[in-house]
Amino acid sequence: MSFLWALIVGGIIGWLAGLITGRDVPGGIIGNIIAGFIGSWLGSVIFGSFGPVIGGFAIIPAIIGSIILVLIVSFIMRKMRGNHKHA
């Protein structure tokens, strides 16, 4: 049950990061979950673990890390799309 809870919270974190940045996370729900998990890890590496913990995620660093991840991924995707148009 805790794994299911972690998937739900990870998806919500990824979705929130997409809303805050105004950019869609590629891959829909699965992309949101992946962004939530990887962004949570990134946030905990950069900022540590502080604030409330829900589903195994320290929410504040997880959201910040997910925002950073979404911005990086959207930047890379934009550059890749830009390179294909010129080819």
Side-chain angles (χ1 to χ4, degrees):
M1 185 66 175
S2 64
F3 180 70
L4 179 62
W5 185 241
L7 287 176
I8 292 168
V9 173
I12 292 171
I13 290 170
W15 174 72
L16 281 173
L19 279 180
I20 291 169
T21 60
R23 293 172 165 84
D24 289 333
V25 176
I29 294 172
I30 302 296
N32 284 335
I33 293 170
I34 293 170
F37 271 87
I38 295 173
S40 163
W41 171 80
L42 180 65
S44 67
V45 167
I46 296 172
F47 303 108
S49 182
F50 63 91
V53 175
I54 300 174
F57 298 101
I59 297 300
I60 296 169
I63 291 173
I64 295 170
S66 295
I67 289 170
I68 293 169
L69 180 69
V70 167
L71 290 172
I72 291 170
V73 168
S74 66
F75 176 77
I76 291 170
M77 296 296 285
R78 190 172 6 146
K79 289 296 181 185
M80 288 175 60
R81 274 189 238 125
N83 288 341
H84 289 295
K85 290 180 183 175
H86 298 296

